[in-house]
Amino acid sequence: NIQAADNFDGTTLNRSNWLPQTSFAMGTQAAHACYADNPANVSVSGGALNLTLRKVSTPVSCSFGGLSGPTSYVSGGVMTYHLFSQQYGRFEARIKNTATTFPGLHEAFWLWPDDRYTDTTQWPASGEIDIAEFYSTYSSLAIPFLHYGYGMPASPGLNTAWNCTAQRG
């Protein structure tokens, strides 16, 4: 079972708690990042989980949703899918994101439904809570989103957003 808290006080990622993303991409078609399970992208040190976006000299290819093809960016991401979920309670994280103005890049801290919602084709009816999304185009903002659909599939999914100024440390 996953621990209720992970303070990242070791030197390696606790893979009993976290699964590195490898089949995911974020951004826009013009500038997307492929996720990689690589210590240069996912590491633990000094009581922090470090997820790094980096430019690579040889482009890599990945495909996710509407994103596909070669890119010069790889990124780190982790998830708890099939390791931990909860129906009630809270999630808490301290997040420090380095602002970049390179167009198209996008990172997020978000919650996705677990296996209690087996039909993911009905997204966003099953919901998604984006606690903070970071877009390079709006580098001074941390944007929360609540994706949901009432009466799906008959009605389209709805999105709500409130812009919050990001705190830079």
Side-chain angles (χ1 to χ4, degrees):
N1 289 339
I2 192 169
Q3 298 295 315
D6 193 336
N7 293 316
F8 303 105
D9 49 6
T11 57
T12 59
L13 183 68
N14 181 343
R15 289 174 183 254
S16 296
N17 291 357
W18 304 100
L19 179 64
Q21 290 273 19
T22 56
S23 60
F24 199 71
M26 283 281 221
T28 64
Q29 183 59 40
H32 63 281
C34 295
Y35 279 59
D37 183 3
N38 182 315
N41 298 99
V42 180
S43 64
V44 173
S45 66
L49 168 64
N50 302 295
L51 303 174
T52 303
L53 170 75
R54 59 190 178 89
K55 190 171 185 174
V56 292
S57 57
T58 304
V60 297
S61 288
C62 61
S63 179
F64 181 81
L67 304 175
S68 64
T71 180
S72 294
Y73 293 93
V74 291
S75 188
V78 295
M79 64 180 171
T80 61
Y81 186 64
H82 283 172
L83 299 175
F84 173 78
S85 69
Q86 64 184 28
Q87 186 169 5
Y88 301 105
R90 72 180 195 193
F91 293 88
E92 182 177 333
R94 282 189 336 250
I95 299 170
K96 180 178 179 181
N97 190 33
T98 304
T100 182
T101 56
F102 188 85
L105 298 177
H106 168 232
E107 297 297 330
F109 173 52
W110 50 293
L111 305 176
W112 181 262
D114 63 16
D115 287 342
R116 288 184 294 248
Y117 303 94
T118 57
D119 186 2
T120 58
T121 63
Q122 296 299 311
W123 183 92
S126 55
E128 175 183 320
I129 301 170
D130 297 322
I131 296 162
E133 291 191 79
F134 305 95
Y135 295 89
S136 59
T137 307
Y138 309 105
S139 62
S140 65
L141 298 177
I143 303 169
F145 251 81
L146 174 62
H147 303 273
Y148 65 96
Y150 177 75
M152 288 291 286
S155 64
L158 302 171
N159 291 314
T160 60
W162 301 272
N163 294 339
C164 304
T165 301
Q167 297 295 313
R168 301 287 175 210

mmCIF file of all heavy atoms in Angstrom, residues 81-111:
data_model
loop_
_atom_site.group_PDB
_atom_site.id
_atom_site.type_symbol
_atom_site.label_atom_id
_atom_site.label_comp_id
_atom_site.label_asym_id
_atom_site.label_seq_id
_atom_site.Cartn_x
_atom_site.Cartn_y
_atom_site.Cartn_z
ATOM 1 N N TYR A 81 -1.522 5.801 -10.401
ATOM 2 C CA TYR A 81 -2.514 4.912 -11.001
ATOM 3 C C TYR A 81 -2.247 3.457 -10.633
ATOM 4 O O TYR A 81 -1.149 2.950 -10.810
ATOM 5 C CB TYR A 81 -2.520 5.083 -12.517
ATOM 6 C CG TYR A 81 -3.614 4.321 -13.209
ATOM 7 C CD1 TYR A 81 -4.951 4.624 -12.968
ATOM 8 C CD2 TYR A 81 -3.322 3.292 -14.080
ATOM 9 C CE1 TYR A 81 -5.961 3.929 -13.592
ATOM 10 C CE2 TYR A 81 -4.324 2.586 -14.721
ATOM 11 C CZ TYR A 81 -5.646 2.913 -14.470
ATOM 12 O OH TYR A 81 -6.650 2.215 -15.085
ATOM 13 N N HIS A 82 -3.258 2.799 -10.094
ATOM 14 C CA HIS A 82 -3.235 1.420 -9.601
ATOM 15 C C HIS A 82 -2.355 1.244 -8.365
ATOM 16 O O HIS A 82 -2.121 0.125 -7.937
ATOM 17 C CB HIS A 82 -2.815 0.421 -10.680
ATOM 18 C CG HIS A 82 -3.926 0.131 -11.642
ATOM 19 N ND1 HIS A 82 -3.723 -0.606 -12.761
ATOM 20 C CD2 HIS A 82 -5.227 0.468 -11.653
ATOM 21 C CE1 HIS A 82 -4.855 -0.709 -13.437
ATOM 22 N NE2 HIS A 82 -5.773 -0.059 -12.774
ATOM 23 N N LEU A 83 -1.847 2.329 -7.806
ATOM 24 C CA LEU A 83 -1.066 2.264 -6.583
ATOM 25 C C LEU A 83 -1.803 2.904 -5.411
ATOM 26 O O LEU A 83 -1.687 2.447 -4.288
ATOM 27 C CB LEU A 83 0.291 2.958 -6.766
ATOM 28 C CG LEU A 83 1.202 2.377 -7.833
ATOM 29 C CD1 LEU A 83 2.445 3.248 -7.986
ATOM 30 C CD2 LEU A 83 1.581 0.948 -7.490
ATOM 31 N N PHE A 84 -2.537 3.976 -5.689
ATOM 32 C CA PHE A 84 -3.226 4.695 -4.620
ATOM 33 C C PHE A 84 -4.376 5.486 -5.206
ATOM 34 O O PHE A 84 -4.262 6.084 -6.271
ATOM 35 C CB PHE A 84 -2.276 5.662 -3.913
ATOM 36 C CG PHE A 84 -2.961 6.549 -2.906
ATOM 37 C CD1 PHE A 84 -3.291 6.056 -1.662
ATOM 38 C CD2 PHE A 84 -3.277 7.855 -3.211
ATOM 39 C CE1 PHE A 84 -3.932 6.863 -0.727
ATOM 40 C CE2 PHE A 84 -3.914 8.665 -2.282
ATOM 41 C CZ PHE A 84 -4.244 8.166 -1.041
ATOM 42 N N SER A 85 -5.490 5.485 -4.502
ATOM 43 C CA SER A 85 -6.610 6.371 -4.813
ATOM 44 C C SER A 85 -7.423 6.530 -3.544
ATOM 45 O O SER A 85 -7.310 5.727 -2.621
ATOM 46 C CB SER A 85 -7.470 5.819 -5.949
ATOM 47 O OG SER A 85 -8.156 4.659 -5.530
ATOM 48 N N GLN A 86 -8.193 7.565 -3.505
ATOM 49 C CA GLN A 86 -9.085 7.759 -2.374
ATOM 50 C C GLN A 86 -10.321 8.488 -2.851
ATOM 51 O O GLN A 86 -10.255 9.325 -3.746
ATOM 52 C CB GLN A 86 -8.410 8.525 -1.240
ATOM 53 C CG GLN A 86 -8.004 9.946 -1.558
ATOM 54 C CD GLN A 86 -7.253 10.585 -0.405
ATOM 55 O OE1 GLN A 86 -6.607 9.916 0.381
ATOM 56 N NE2 GLN A 86 -7.332 11.899 -0.314
ATOM 57 N N GLN A 87 -11.456 8.138 -2.237
ATOM 58 C CA GLN A 87 -12.712 8.764 -2.618
ATOM 59 C C GLN A 87 -12.923 10.056 -1.841
ATOM 60 O O GLN A 87 -13.482 10.999 -2.378
ATOM 61 C CB GLN A 87 -13.873 7.798 -2.369
ATOM 62 C CG GLN A 87 -15.193 8.321 -2.874
ATOM 63 C CD GLN A 87 -16.273 7.253 -2.865
ATOM 64 O OE1 GLN A 87 -16.052 6.136 -2.400
ATOM 65 N NE2 GLN A 87 -17.427 7.578 -3.375
ATOM 66 N N TYR A 88 -12.448 10.098 -0.615
ATOM 67 C CA TYR A 88 -12.601 11.289 0.215
ATOM 68 C C TYR A 88 -11.254 11.638 0.826
ATOM 69 O O TYR A 88 -10.380 10.782 0.952
ATOM 70 C CB TYR A 88 -13.627 11.053 1.334
ATOM 71 C CG TYR A 88 -14.993 10.686 0.811
ATOM 72 C CD1 TYR A 88 -15.458 9.373 0.888
ATOM 73 C CD2 TYR A 88 -15.802 11.648 0.219
ATOM 74 C CE1 TYR A 88 -16.701 9.024 0.401
ATOM 75 C CE2 TYR A 88 -17.055 11.311 -0.277
ATOM 76 C CZ TYR A 88 -17.503 10.004 -0.181
ATOM 77 O OH TYR A 88 -18.724 9.678 -0.679
ATOM 78 N N GLY A 89 -11.105 12.853 1.223
ATOM 79 C CA GLY A 89 -9.860 13.276 1.841
ATOM 80 C C GLY A 89 -9.268 14.452 1.097
ATOM 81 O O GLY A 89 -9.945 15.150 0.359
ATOM 82 N N ARG A 90 -7.980 14.640 1.290
ATOM 83 C CA ARG A 90 -7.334 15.771 0.627
ATOM 84 C C ARG A 90 -5.989 15.330 0.067
ATOM 85 O O ARG A 90 -5.404 14.345 0.497
ATOM 86 C CB ARG A 90 -7.168 16.945 1.562
ATOM 87 C CG ARG A 90 -6.113 16.750 2.611
ATOM 88 C CD ARG A 90 -6.006 17.963 3.494
ATOM 89 N NE ARG A 90 -4.765 17.897 4.246
ATOM 90 C CZ ARG A 90 -4.493 18.655 5.262
ATOM 91 N NH1 ARG A 90 -5.377 19.540 5.651
ATOM 92 N NH2 ARG A 90 -3.353 18.553 5.879
ATOM 93 N N PHE A 91 -5.555 16.101 -0.894
ATOM 94 C CA PHE A 91 -4.232 15.929 -1.487
ATOM 95 C C PHE A 91 -3.495 17.230 -1.258
ATOM 96 O O PHE A 91 -4.067 18.312 -1.407
ATOM 97 C CB PHE A 91 -4.334 15.646 -2.988
ATOM 98 C CG PHE A 91 -4.970 14.323 -3.294
ATOM 99 C CD1 PHE A 91 -6.342 14.205 -3.432
ATOM 100 C CD2 PHE A 91 -4.189 13.188 -3.434
ATOM 101 C CE1 PHE A 91 -6.932 12.991 -3.707
ATOM 102 C CE2 PHE A 91 -4.768 11.963 -3.707
ATOM 103 C CZ PHE A 91 -6.142 11.864 -3.849
ATOM 104 N N GLU A 92 -2.239 17.141 -0.914
ATOM 105 C CA GLU A 92 -1.468 18.332 -0.600
ATOM 106 C C GLU A 92 -0.075 18.187 -1.205
ATOM 107 O O GLU A 92 0.519 17.115 -1.191
ATOM 108 C CB GLU A 92 -1.359 18.467 0.912
ATOM 109 C CG GLU A 92 -0.637 19.684 1.392
ATOM 110 C CD GLU A 92 -0.636 19.770 2.909
ATOM 111 O OE1 GLU A 92 -1.562 19.242 3.559
ATOM 112 O OE2 GLU A 92 0.313 20.366 3.446
ATOM 113 N N ALA A 93 0.419 19.281 -1.764
ATOM 114 C CA ALA A 93 1.764 19.271 -2.340
ATOM 115 C C ALA A 93 2.338 20.683 -2.306
ATOM 116 O O ALA A 93 1.596 21.661 -2.373
ATOM 117 C CB ALA A 93 1.732 18.778 -3.774
ATOM 118 N N ARG A 94 3.637 20.756 -2.154
ATOM 119 C CA ARG A 94 4.371 22.016 -2.358
ATOM 120 C C ARG A 94 5.010 21.891 -3.725
ATOM 121 O O ARG A 94 5.764 20.958 -3.979
ATOM 122 C CB ARG A 94 5.446 22.213 -1.307
ATOM 123 C CG ARG A 94 4.939 22.673 0.022
ATOM 124 C CD ARG A 94 6.087 23.056 0.962
ATOM 125 N NE ARG A 94 7.354 22.403 0.649
ATOM 126 C CZ ARG A 94 7.916 21.455 1.394
ATOM 127 N NH1 ARG A 94 7.345 21.053 2.480
ATOM 128 N NH2 ARG A 94 9.075 20.917 1.046
ATOM 129 N N ILE A 95 4.711 22.826 -4.598
ATOM 130 C CA ILE A 95 5.193 22.739 -5.974
ATOM 131 C C ILE A 95 5.962 24.001 -6.314
ATOM 132 O O ILE A 95 5.495 25.110 -6.087
ATOM 133 C CB ILE A 95 4.014 22.587 -6.955
ATOM 134 C CG1 ILE A 95 3.240 21.304 -6.641
ATOM 135 C CG2 ILE A 95 4.496 22.599 -8.404
ATOM 136 C CD1 ILE A 95 1.948 21.177 -7.386
ATOM 137 N N LYS A 96 7.129 23.810 -6.862
ATOM 138 C CA LYS A 96 7.917 24.935 -7.359
ATOM 139 C C LYS A 96 8.126 24.679 -8.850
ATOM 140 O O LYS A 96 8.647 23.639 -9.246
ATOM 141 C CB LYS A 96 9.262 25.025 -6.653
ATOM 142 C CG LYS A 96 10.114 26.177 -7.120
ATOM 143 C CD LYS A 96 11.419 26.225 -6.345
ATOM 144 C CE LYS A 96 12.286 27.364 -6.838
ATOM 145 N NZ LYS A 96 13.559 27.405 -6.115
ATOM 146 N N ASN A 97 7.685 25.608 -9.664
ATOM 147 C CA ASN A 97 7.790 25.467 -11.108
ATOM 148 C C ASN A 97 8.650 26.604 -11.647
ATOM 149 O O ASN A 97 8.409 27.763 -11.336
ATOM 150 C CB ASN A 97 6.396 25.508 -11.738
ATOM 151 C CG ASN A 97 6.408 25.120 -13.189
ATOM 152 O OD1 ASN A 97 7.205 24.295 -13.609
ATOM 153 N ND2 ASN A 97 5.519 25.719 -13.959
ATOM 154 N N THR A 98 9.646 26.273 -12.429
ATOM 155 C CA THR A 98 10.511 27.281 -13.027
ATOM 156 C C THR A 98 9.830 27.845 -14.264
ATOM 157 O O THR A 98 9.474 27.093 -15.169
ATOM 158 C CB THR A 98 11.872 26.670 -13.413
ATOM 159 O OG1 THR A 98 12.431 26.074 -12.253
ATOM 160 C CG2 THR A 98 12.812 27.721 -13.947
ATOM 161 N N ALA A 99 9.653 29.145 -14.291
ATOM 162 C CA ALA A 99 8.976 29.783 -15.424
ATOM 163 C C ALA A 99 9.832 29.687 -16.674
ATOM 164 O O ALA A 99 11.039 29.864 -16.637
ATOM 165 C CB ALA A 99 8.690 31.250 -15.105
ATOM 166 N N THR A 100 9.171 29.367 -17.770
ATOM 167 C CA THR A 100 9.825 29.394 -19.076
ATOM 168 C C THR A 100 8.890 30.106 -20.037
ATOM 169 O O THR A 100 7.675 30.088 -19.853
ATOM 170 C CB THR A 100 10.159 27.985 -19.601
ATOM 171 O OG1 THR A 100 10.825 28.113 -20.855
ATOM 172 C CG2 THR A 100 8.921 27.132 -19.776
ATOM 173 N N THR A 101 9.439 30.739 -21.010
ATOM 174 C CA THR A 101 8.606 31.434 -21.982
ATOM 175 C C THR A 101 8.664 30.756 -23.349
ATOM 176 O O THR A 101 8.137 31.279 -24.312
ATOM 177 C CB THR A 101 9.030 32.909 -22.120
ATOM 178 O OG1 THR A 101 10.424 32.957 -22.459
ATOM 179 C CG2 THR A 101 8.772 33.675 -20.829
ATOM 180 N N PHE A 102 9.306 29.563 -23.438
ATOM 181 C CA PHE A 102 9.310 28.852 -24.710
ATOM 182 C C PHE A 102 7.868 28.485 -25.044
ATOM 183 O O PHE A 102 7.181 27.873 -24.228
ATOM 184 C CB PHE A 102 10.188 27.595 -24.639
ATOM 185 C CG PHE A 102 10.365 26.950 -25.981
ATOM 186 C CD1 PHE A 102 11.367 27.391 -26.836
ATOM 187 C CD2 PHE A 102 9.518 25.949 -26.405
ATOM 188 C CE1 PHE A 102 11.527 26.822 -28.088
ATOM 189 C CE2 PHE A 102 9.669 25.372 -27.651
ATOM 190 C CZ PHE A 102 10.673 25.811 -28.493
ATOM 191 N N PRO A 103 7.367 28.875 -26.211
ATOM 192 C CA PRO A 103 5.944 28.700 -26.520
ATOM 193 C C PRO A 103 5.507 27.241 -26.576
ATOM 194 O O PRO A 103 6.231 26.384 -27.080
ATOM 195 C CB PRO A 103 5.790 29.360 -27.892
ATOM 196 C CG PRO A 103 7.148 29.475 -28.452
ATOM 197 C CD PRO A 103 8.118 29.466 -27.309
ATOM 198 N N GLY A 104 4.322 26.975 -26.015
ATOM 199 C CA GLY A 104 3.676 25.686 -26.169
ATOM 200 C C GLY A 104 3.825 24.708 -25.030
ATOM 201 O O GLY A 104 3.098 23.718 -24.982
ATOM 202 N N LEU A 105 4.756 24.914 -24.103
ATOM 203 C CA LEU A 105 4.972 23.934 -23.047
ATOM 204 C C LEU A 105 3.903 24.055 -21.963
ATOM 205 O O LEU A 105 3.391 25.132 -21.675
ATOM 206 C CB LEU A 105 6.374 24.092 -22.476
ATOM 207 C CG LEU A 105 7.494 23.848 -23.497
ATOM 208 C CD1 LEU A 105 8.847 24.099 -22.864
ATOM 209 C CD2 LEU A 105 7.421 22.439 -24.075
ATOM 210 N N HIS A 106 3.594 22.927 -21.324
ATOM 211 C CA HIS A 106 2.494 22.869 -20.367
ATOM 212 C C HIS A 106 2.781 21.757 -19.360
ATOM 213 O O HIS A 106 3.085 20.631 -19.747
ATOM 214 C CB HIS A 106 1.201 22.564 -21.142
ATOM 215 C CG HIS A 106 0.047 22.193 -20.293
ATOM 216 N ND1 HIS A 106 -0.696 21.066 -20.506
ATOM 217 C CD2 HIS A 106 -0.502 22.790 -19.225
ATOM 218 C CE1 HIS A 106 -1.660 20.994 -19.611
ATOM 219 N NE2 HIS A 106 -1.563 22.023 -18.821
ATOM 220 N N GLU A 107 2.699 22.065 -18.077
ATOM 221 C CA GLU A 107 2.847 21.086 -17.004
ATOM 222 C C GLU A 107 1.680 21.249 -16.040
ATOM 223 O O GLU A 107 1.029 22.292 -16.021
ATOM 224 C CB GLU A 107 4.176 21.269 -16.277
ATOM 225 C CG GLU A 107 5.396 21.034 -17.159
ATOM 226 C CD GLU A 107 5.512 19.617 -17.704
ATOM 227 O OE1 GLU A 107 5.055 18.672 -17.028
ATOM 228 O OE2 GLU A 107 6.041 19.454 -18.799
ATOM 229 N N ALA A 108 1.425 20.222 -15.221
ATOM 230 C CA ALA A 108 0.264 20.288 -14.340
ATOM 231 C C ALA A 108 0.404 19.363 -13.139
ATOM 232 O O ALA A 108 1.113 18.366 -13.176
ATOM 233 C CB ALA A 108 -1.000 19.902 -15.122
ATOM 234 N N PHE A 109 -0.302 19.725 -12.063
ATOM 235 C CA PHE A 109 -0.539 18.852 -10.909
ATOM 236 C C PHE A 109 -2.041 18.621 -10.923
ATOM 237 O O PHE A 109 -2.814 19.563 -10.753
ATOM 238 C CB PHE A 109 -0.085 19.542 -9.617
ATOM 239 C CG PHE A 109 -0.442 18.774 -8.361
ATOM 240 C CD1 PHE A 109 -0.104 17.437 -8.208
ATOM 241 C CD2 PHE A 109 -1.099 19.406 -7.324
ATOM 242 C CE1 PHE A 109 -0.424 16.735 -7.057
ATOM 243 C CE2 PHE A 109 -1.424 18.718 -6.162
ATOM 244 C CZ PHE A 109 -1.085 17.386 -6.028
ATOM 245 N N TRP A 110 -2.458 17.367 -11.176
ATOM 246 C CA TRP A 110 -3.871 17.113 -11.394
ATOM 247 C C TRP A 110 -4.308 15.762 -10.855
ATOM 248 O O TRP A 110 -3.484 14.894 -10.600
ATOM 249 C CB TRP A 110 -4.223 17.243 -12.868
ATOM 250 C CG TRP A 110 -3.357 16.480 -13.833
ATOM 251 C CD1 TRP A 110 -2.042 16.709 -14.120
ATOM 252 C CD2 TRP A 110 -3.732 15.377 -14.629
ATOM 253 N NE1 TRP A 110 -1.601 15.807 -15.053
ATOM 254 C CE2 TRP A 110 -2.617 14.981 -15.397
ATOM 255 C CE3 TRP A 110 -4.922 14.674 -14.790
ATOM 256 C CZ2 TRP A 110 -2.653 13.928 -16.293
ATOM 257 C CZ3 TRP A 110 -4.954 13.622 -15.691
ATOM 258 C CH2 TRP A 110 -3.824 13.270 -16.431
ATOM 259 N N LEU A 111 -5.617 15.636 -10.677
ATOM 260 C CA LEU A 111 -6.236 14.404 -10.188
ATOM 261 C C LEU A 111 -7.145 13.851 -11.278
ATOM 262 O O LEU A 111 -7.906 14.595 -11.897
ATOM 263 C CB LEU A 111 -7.070 14.680 -8.928
ATOM 264 C CG LEU A 111 -6.337 15.357 -7.767
ATOM 265 C CD1 LEU A 111 -7.311 15.660 -6.644
ATOM 266 C CD2 LEU A 111 -5.194 14.500 -7.273
#
